């Protein structure tokens, strides 16, 4: 994440109105993973709750924020399509809380972004398709990471070694998310031919 974006997100008057850094990364990653490119002008306002008026004091500040978001989107998209995407710094497992607050917020942001691209995902990977299982698996992983306490209860009911299983889920997310993005891109490209 660029230092200009981190600076903007740290400003007290903006911090209360914008998604946190981890939520921002999650949301932008969801937009970067989407099967069809969605113009940032269509989703940028969701970064501050969907209000028509942005929380920025000047047009220059808004432009700097938008440019930093697009830069983050570009980096995320490239990493997803080259299979090199990794959890952002701060996202990790935690002995006491299961996941760090950044991991939970990243998952929350990603799930919010996913809702925005949901129709596109359902078009490319319809319910009855085999690809829908991959999509469902990725969404389930992020849901579990957003609400790890419920995940641990569900794993315990399955009789699984909860912590080992949970660690496996966390570790598999980068591979699954890259694979999902690449699969969606292949489907879109094949459909266009």
């Amino acid at each position: 994440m660029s230092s200009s974006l981190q600076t903007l997100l740290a400003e007290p008057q903006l911090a209360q109105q914008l998604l946190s850094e981890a939520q921002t990364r999650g949301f932008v990653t969801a937009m970067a993973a989407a099967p069809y490119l969605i113009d940032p002008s269509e989703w940028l306002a969701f970064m501050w709750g969907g209000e028509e008026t942005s929380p920025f004091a000047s047009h220059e500040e808004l432009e700097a924020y938008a440019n930093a978001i697009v830069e983050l989107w570009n980096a995320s998209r490239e990493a997803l399509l080259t299979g090199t995407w990794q959890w952002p710094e701060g996202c990790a497992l935690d002995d006491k809380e299961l996941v760090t607050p950044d991991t939970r917020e990243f998952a929350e942001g990603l799930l919010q972004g996913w809702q925005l691209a949901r129709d596109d995902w359902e078009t490319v990977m319809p319910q009855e398709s085999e690809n829908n299982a991959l999509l469902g698996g990725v969404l389930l992983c992020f849901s579990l990471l957003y609400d790890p306490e419920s995940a641990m209860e569900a794993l315990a009911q399955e009789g699984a070694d909860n912590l080992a299983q949970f660690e496996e889920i966390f570790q598999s997310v980068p591979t699954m998310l890259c694979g999902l993005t690449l699969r969606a891109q292949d489907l879109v490209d094949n459909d266009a031919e």
Side-chain angles (χ1 to χ4, degrees):
M1 180 172 284
S2 72
S3 59
S4 62
L5 184 54
Q6 287 175 322
T7 303
L8 282 167
L9 292 174
E11 284 186 26
Q13 73 273 18
L14 292 175
Q16 295 176 4
Q17 297 177 50
L18 297 172
L19 295 180
S20 72
E21 183 176 334
Q23 289 169 319
T24 296
R25 283 184 177 279
F27 192 96
V28 171
T29 299
M31 294 293 93
Y36 297 103
L37 300 181
I38 302 172
D39 192 300
S41 65
E42 293 182 39
W43 53 263
L44 192 62
F46 286 94
M47 308 300 276
W48 57 80
E51 299 294 321
E52 283 186 39
T53 307
S54 81
F56 299 97
S58 68
H59 178 71
E60 291 75 23
E61 216 176 47
L62 171 59
E63 193 173 322
Y65 178 77
N67 287 338
I69 292 293
V70 169
E71 187 180 305
L72 178 61
W73 182 93
N74 285 331
S76 299
R77 180 83 174 160
E78 183 178 333
L80 288 164
L81 290 174
T82 57
T84 59
W85 184 88
Q86 293 295 314
W87 281 107
E89 192 176 321
C91 290
L93 295 175
D94 182 82
D95 290 339
K96 210 163 63 173
E97 298 293 323
L98 298 176
V99 297
T100 62
D102 280 355
T103 305
R104 192 182 295 247
E105 287 183 12
F106 182 93
E108 178 184 15
L110 187 125
L111 292 169
Q112 288 172 346
W114 219 280
Q115 288 299 318
L116 206 54
R118 184 180 188 162
D119 288 347
D120 290 345
W121 283 107
E122 289 175 356
T123 298
V124 172
M125 297 181 173
Q127 192 90 27
E128 64 281 351
S129 73
E130 63 186 39
N131 292 309
N132 192 262
L134 176 59
L135 175 60
V138 171
L139 290 175
L140 177 61
C141 286
F142 279 105
S143 296
L144 295 174
L145 293 167
Y146 174 63
D147 186 8
E149 293 81 12
S150 296
M152 291 299 275
E153 285 176 30
L155 290 171
Q157 289 173 0
E158 297 285 321
D161 176 2
N162 331 20
L163 218 43
Q165 194 83 15
F166 201 77
E167 188 172 336
E168 201 174 299
I169 289 168
F170 179 84
Q171 300 299 336
S172 70
V173 163
T175 302
M176 290 177 67
L177 190 55
C178 289
L180 177 67
T181 306
L182 286 166
R183 184 67 187 132
Q185 190 63 53
D186 284 347
L187 291 169
V188 168
D189 289 347
N190 290 336
D191 196 38
E193 291 175 0

